[in-house]
Amino acid sequence: MNLERGGSEAVTRDPIEDSEAGSLHDQLKVFAREVGVLYSAERVRRRELEHALESAREMYLATMKSLAHVVEAKDPTTRGHLDRTAHYGLALARRVDPELAERPEVAYGFFLHDIGKVGIPESILCKTGPLTELEWVVMRSHPNQGARIVEPIPFMGEAVDIVRCHHERFDGEGYPMGLRGENIPLAARIFSIADSFDAMTSDRPYRSALSLDEAVAEIRAGAGTQFDPRCVEAFEELATEEDVLVLPDRRRRPSFATG
Ligand SMILES: [Fe+2]
């Protein structure tokens, strides 16, 4: 038995207890080392999974973008429409709801809005004369066709609603569902202004492009009928306060953020 003196009192230590404490301490050290190794392995595994997920996401997006460009290539009169509308739409979204504009799915939805046109025959898509009633039925199926294309992709989220609802009107007279007012997702209400603005300011075989002022006046005239008045107000501010609404003949090529 060991005797140690601490101050005036003698402390008695049991060698069996000492040896058990030592062994417990060693076991804890081994355990801590093993936990450390497992933790590092888990971090490596998580990084690998994140990397694989990111690669899969980029591949999906690249495929979707290619499909969207196929649509654009089918109709040469709308060349550049996808980039421009995504650019205008995001600028307007930043004014209406900055938090919404930050979500990547919103940019995906804007860029992929017409992807369903991949299923529309070129004889209808590129027809220069007026469409027949039956041809309109086919043409108006593109939002639902597009939603079906993007819906299975897990990270698309509200992009699906934008694709499906970009031709809805604030007064309920749009398609495919005839949604009215705030039943239409906000991102789709914003986008329909960007989409219409680009159509108005682009030359078509059957009419010339409107000027910036004429197009803004047309958008203003559609407040409360075709468009959400709150979004129209923000659009007018955008038109007067920022150099964002660059018309096709003098446009910079906007970049589409995939991140
Ligand atoms: Fe469309």
Side-chain angles (χ1 to χ4, degrees):
M1 182 178 290
N2 292 331
L3 289 177
E4 290 180 2
R5 292 202 174 271
S8 58
E9 291 181 16
V11 179
T12 305
R13 295 184 58 177
D14 183 340
I16 298 174
E17 275 182 15
D18 276 358
S19 119
E20 280 177 354
S23 125
L24 185 63
H25 185 250
D26 289 345
Q27 282 176 17
L28 279 174
K29 270 173 41 185
V30 171
F31 180 67
R33 245 196 321 271
E34 284 173 356
V35 167
V37 170
L38 281 174
Y39 180 69
S40 303
E42 183 58 31
R43 276 178 55 184
V44 169
R45 207 169 67 90
R46 197 183 318 146
R47 265 203 303 272
E48 284 171 357
L49 279 174
E50 280 168 3
H51 183 69
L53 194 65
E54 187 55 31
S55 300
R57 206 168 82 114
E58 279 171 13
M59 254 162 50
Y60 268 129
L61 271 179
T63 310
M64 289 294 106
K65 283 177 73 178
S66 298
L67 261 183
H69 282 299
V70 166
V71 171
E72 204 171 59
K74 279 171 83 171
D75 183 1
T77 60
T78 61
R79 193 142 295 161
H81 172 74
L82 297 178
D83 282 328
R84 288 194 305 273
T85 47
H87 180 64
Y88 300 152
L90 286 173
L92 182 54
R94 279 193 283 273
R95 285 204 163 238
V96 175
D97 184 343
E99 203 184 304
L100 179 85
E102 287 304 309
R103 295 183 213 150
E105 309 85 54
V106 171
Y108 304 155
F110 287 179
F111 193 79
L112 301 174
H113 68 281
D114 268 344
I115 200 163
K117 284 186 178 172
V118 78
I120 307 295
E122 279 174 50
S123 58
I124 296 177
L125 203 58
C126 309
K127 189 169 172 180
T128 48
L131 299 183
T132 67
E133 212 164 300
L134 186 64
E135 286 167 338
W136 267 120
V137 171
V138 176
M139 185 64 131
R140 286 182 175 143
S141 70
H142 81 271
N144 274 334
Q145 291 203 47
R148 278 196 293 275
I149 292 172
V150 294
E151 208 161 24
I153 304 172
F155 59 84
M156 279 293 165
E158 63 198 297
V160 181
D161 285 337
I162 297 169
V163 172
R164 186 180 285 119
C165 300
H166 74 277
H167 284 293
E168 297 289 356
R169 291 171 50 113
F170 200 71
D171 59 9
E173 296 297 313
Y175 64 93
M177 290 177 287
L179 297 179
R180 186 189 294 268
E182 298 195 353
N183 290 325
I184 305 165
L186 177 59
R189 274 180 271 149
I190 290 169
F191 184 75
S192 76
I193 294 179
D195 197 20
S196 300
F197 174 77
D198 188 61
M200 289 172 192
T201 53
S202 302
D203 278 321
R204 291 285 189 270
Y206 46 91
R207 58 144 182 81
S208 319
L210 299 185
S211 70
L212 176 63
D213 289 345
E214 287 168 335
V216 172
E218 282 280 309
I219 300 284
R220 188 186 306 124
T225 50
Q226 186 170 355
F227 308 117
D228 178 345
R230 186 164 70 97
C231 297
V232 170
E233 205 177 303
F235 179 79
E236 288 193 76
E237 289 168 9
L238 187 68
T240 52
E241 292 171 20
E242 286 185 47
D243 184 25
V244 170
L245 306 175
V246 181
L247 301 187
D249 59 338
R250 56 194 170 90
R251 67 178 178 266
R252 298 158 298 204
R253 187 171 174 83
S255 60
F256 172 57
T258 54

